[in-house]
C-alpha cells in the first residue's frame, strides 16, 4: 500500500476535513503515567463525573484522538485513553506482541481500580479491546469496536517513506503528503528538527504481530458489543463485518459513510451511535 492509498482508505473528503477543523469547546485532560513491565505507559484522563470509558487508538495514533468524543460524551462518560506502547508519549519496548498490548491495557485498568468497564477500540485498539475481553472478562462490561475484523491482514511498510526529520513543521507536512491529515496528533518538535512521535519500523512490526485470525478471541466473550464500520472502508468488508455480528451474541453492527477512521472523519455520527449504544447498557 502506498501513502496515497493509505490516506485514501480513510475516506475523508474536503468537507470531512472541515468538520474535523471546526472550533469546539474541549475538556482539558490530565496526563499521567505508570510503569508496566519496565516501560512507561502514558495516558489521558478527560475527567468528569460519568462512568469510565476506556479508549484504545489505532496504529500511528495516540490517546488524544478521542478528545472530540470525550467532549461529546462528557456529561455522562469519563474517557480514559492511553498512548499505547510505541505511540505518543509512551515508551518504545522491544515487544509489540498481542500479549504485550493486552497486558498493558489490563495493568492500566487495574492501576485505576476499574472493573466492568466499557472498552472502545479503533483498528489496532479494536483487536486489543476484544482480546482484553477474552483474556480478562471481569474487566470488560461492553465493547465498541471501530472498523477492524476478526481476521487482519495489512502492511504498513509504506510508512518507511515518511521523513524521519524535517527542519520545519511545514517541511515535515510537505514530506508526509496526503498522509499528514491523519498524523497531526503525532507531529513533534525535537532538538534536531520536526518528526513523528513513533517509529515507522515499530508500526510495521506491530502490524505484523496483529495480522492473522483472531476469531477465537472475538467469540470468547458475550458482553454487549457495537461494531462500527466505515461504509467505504478497505480494512473491514461488509461481508466480514456481518459475519462477525452474526456469529457473536449480543453484537450490533452499524455503518457510517466514511473510510477506516470513522471517529475522526464523522465525529458527530460516531458520537451519536456510541451514545445510543451506551444508553442501552
Amino acid at each position: 500500500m502506498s501513502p496515497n492509498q493509505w490516506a485514501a482508505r480513510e475516506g475523508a473528503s474536503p468537507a470531512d476535513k472541515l468538520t474535523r477543523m471546526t472550533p469546539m469547546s474541549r475538556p482539558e485532560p490530565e496526563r499521567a503515567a505508570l510503569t508496566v513491565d519496565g516501560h512507561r505507559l502514558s495516558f489521558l484522563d478527560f475527567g468528569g463525573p460519568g462512568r469510565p470509558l476506556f479508549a484504545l487508538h489505532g496504529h500511528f495514533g495516540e490517546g488524544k484522538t478521542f478528545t472530540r468524543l470525550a467532549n461529546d460524551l462528557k456529561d455522562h462518560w469519563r474517557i480514559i485513553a492511553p498512548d499505547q506502547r510505541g505511540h505518543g508519549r509512551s515508551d518504545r519496548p522491544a515487544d509489540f506482541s498481542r500479549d504485550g498490548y493486552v497486558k498493558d491495557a489490563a495493568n492500566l485498568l487495574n492501576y485505576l481500580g476499574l472493573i466492568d468497564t466499557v472498552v472502545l477500540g479503533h483498528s489496532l485498539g479494536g483487536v486489543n479491546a476484544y482480546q482484553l475481553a477474552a483474556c480478562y472478562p471481569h474487566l470488560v462490561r461492553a465493547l465498541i469496536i471501530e472498523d477492524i475484523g476478526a481476521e487482519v491482514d495489512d502492511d504498513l511498510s509504506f510508512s518507511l517513506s515518511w521523513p524521519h526529520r524535517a527542519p520545519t513543521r511545514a517541511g515535515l507536512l510537505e514530506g508526509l503528503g496526503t498522509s499528514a491529515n491523519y498524523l497531526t496528533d503525532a507531529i513533534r518538535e525535537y532538538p534536531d528538527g520536526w518528526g513523528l512521535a513513533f517509529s515507522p519500523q515499530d508500526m510495521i512490526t506491530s502490524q505484523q504481530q496483529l495480522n492473522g485470525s483472531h476469531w477465537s478471541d472475538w467469540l470468547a466473550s458475550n458482553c454487549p458489543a457495537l461494531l462500527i464500520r466505515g461504509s467505504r472502508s478497505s480494512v473491514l468488508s461488509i461481508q466480514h463485518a456481518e459475519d462477525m455480528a452474526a456469529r457473536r451474541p449480543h453484537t450490533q453492527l452499524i455503518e457510517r459513510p466514511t473510510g477506516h477512521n470513522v471517529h475522526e472523519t464523522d465525529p458527530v455520527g460516531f458520537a451519536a451511535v456510541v451514545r445510543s449504544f451506551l444508553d442501552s447498557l
Side-chain angles (χ1 to χ4, degrees), residues 46-68:
F46 288 87
R51 296 169 60 190
L53 174 61
F54 192 62
L56 301 171
H57 61 78
H59 280 124
F60 309 124
E62 50 193 85
K64 69 185 296 185
T65 190
F66 297 110
T67 300
R68 172 66 183 261

Side-chain angles (χ1 to χ4, degrees), residues 196-211:
L196 296 169
F198 55 80
S199 160
Q201 185 56 59
D202 287 349
M203 301 300 97
I204 294 168
T205 301
S206 176
Q207 182 65 53
Q208 290 169 343
Q209 295 285 328
L210 181 64
N211 289 342

Side-chain angles (χ1 to χ4, degrees), residues 225-229 236 238 241-243 245 251-255:
L226 173 65
L227 178 60
I228 303 173
R229 176 183 181 267
L236 177 61
I238 184 58
E242 288 176 344
D243 195 17
T251 301
Q252 177 185 8
L253 170 63
I254 289 182
E255 284 193 300

Side-chain angles (χ1 to χ4, degrees), residues 85-96:
R85 55 176 56 202
H87 296 78
R89 298 189 187 181
S90 291
D91 284 347
R92 294 176 53 198
D95 175 20
F96 286 93

Side-chain angles (χ1 to χ4, degrees), residues 20-81:
R20 293 203 303 273
M21 294 170 62
T22 301
M24 66 197 75
S25 61
R26 293 188 170 187
E28 289 295 329
E30 293 186 3
R31 184 172 290 278
L34 73 156
T35 299
V36 179
D37 295 332
H39 67 274
R40 180 178 184 271
L41 189 65
S42 180
F43 65 95
L44 295 175
D45 184 344
F46 288 87
R51 296 169 60 190
L53 174 61
F54 192 62
L56 301 171
H57 61 78
H59 280 124
F60 309 124
E62 50 193 85
K64 69 185 296 185
T65 190
F66 297 110
T67 300
R68 172 66 183 261
L69 184 65
N71 185 68
D72 290 340
L73 302 180
K74 63 184 178 182
D75 291 339
H76 301 287
W77 293 87
R78 165 196 169 199
I79 287 187
I80 299 165

